[in-house]
Amino acid sequence: MATVILVRHGRTTANASGVLAGRTAGVRLDETGRTQAARTGERLAVVPLVGVVTSPLERCRQTARAILQHQDGSPVTSVDKGITECDYGEWQGRALKDLAKEDLWKVVQGQPSAAVFPGGESLPAMQARSVAAIRRHDAAFEAEHGPGAVWAAVSHGDIIKAILADALGMHLDLFQRINVNPASVSIVRYGAARPDVVATNTDAGDLSWLRAAPPAEDAQVGGGAGPGGPA
């Protein structure tokens, strides 16, 4: 099975000012976000990526470039609208403190599966198209490069949370229990029997163990020895 590294973009000017950027054009990483993206690129430098797929929005493209700058090889790069930000419709560009007063805010927090943004998309639709895109790319990279292939997808907080919820077998109504910080790394392997969520929301730690062959798909009873241990 291939391995996908899910990377959220670094902090943006909108994040720093408490605005829901959505798909607004021209939202870029701020100084902190650029530092975060560079740090993530350095962290992933020890992993020879076969590909980097990014959301089309500039903040993700910037983060993807920071990752590619630290790769010795030449990973295949592509842009996929399937992992772009949620279409928040009329909520886009508004202050989060104002949105928190809306009735829909409580639905987004407590019953996301029923949330439809006015003039935008529903959270179930967002999850469906992003999960489909990730699984499609994962299968293609594995078919071309073998089960040891490691690739990265650079996307957005709610997108990655929805992908992780699916991989964990969680109902979408529970996805707000997952945290995905700016420039964080989460890791998923899609096995034949089930997905394996290897890590979530990490911003530090050695990733060189990803260069080794992936473990057997059967879960180790008792938890196993971890990376570098016996199969």
Side-chain angles (χ1 to χ4, degrees):
M1 49 187 168
T3 300
V4 55
I5 299 174
L6 301 166
V7 180
R8 184 184 170 192
H9 61 78
R11 195 181 82 167
T12 69
T13 52
N15 295 144
S17 59
V19 171
L20 183 62
R23 299 179 179 181
T24 304
V27 175
R28 300 175 61 85
L29 303 184
D30 64 7
E31 183 176 354
T32 295
R34 292 191 295 272
T35 299
Q36 292 170 336
R39 185 173 64 240
T40 298
E42 292 169 359
R43 189 177 175 212
L44 295 181
V46 297
V47 186
L49 301 174
V50 300
V52 176
V53 180
T54 180
S55 156
L57 296 179
E58 182 59 25
R59 55 196 185 268
C60 289
R61 288 174 178 263
Q62 286 180 280
T63 304
R65 285 195 292 269
I67 293 171
L68 291 166
Q69 286 171 1
H70 291 87
Q71 287 290 306
D72 289 335
S74 298
V76 174
T77 60
S78 63
V79 174
D80 192 336
K81 292 181 180 179
I83 59 171
T84 196
E85 181 63 286
C86 182
D87 183 355
Y88 295 114
E90 295 172 14
W91 275 32
Q92 179 172 293
R94 295 179 59 191
L96 293 172
K97 65 180 182 179
D98 293 334
L99 293 173
K101 302 172 185 177
E102 301 277 352
D103 290 340
L104 180 59
W105 181 271
K106 294 181 180 179
V107 180
V108 172
Q109 299 301 314
Q111 193 183 1
S113 64
V116 182
F117 295 100
E121 71 180 329
S122 69
L123 285 176
M126 178 202 75
Q127 183 184 47
R129 51 99 168 160
S130 58
V131 168
I134 290 295
R135 287 179 177 259
R136 182 179 68 252
H137 285 290
D138 192 75
F141 282 124
E142 180 171 348
E144 182 173 355
H145 298 281
V150 183
W151 65 286
V154 184
S155 189
H156 307 268
D158 279 350
I159 299 293
I160 295 174
K161 286 166 60 175
I163 293 167
L164 289 171
D166 170 77
L168 288 164
M170 294 170 56
H171 195 283
L172 184 60
D173 284 346
L174 304 179
F175 99 130
Q176 299 291 20
R177 300 184 182 191
I178 301 171
N179 288 309
V180 175
N181 293 329
S184 64
V185 166
S186 301
I187 303 171
V188 176
R189 289 177 171 136
Y190 290 100
R194 62 183 173 272
D196 178 13
V197 179
V198 181
T200 64
N201 196 36
T202 69
D203 58 14
D206 175 42
L207 294 175
S208 60
W209 52 271
L210 283 170
R211 295 180 302 198
E217 292 196 14
D218 285 344
Q220 293 296 304
V221 177

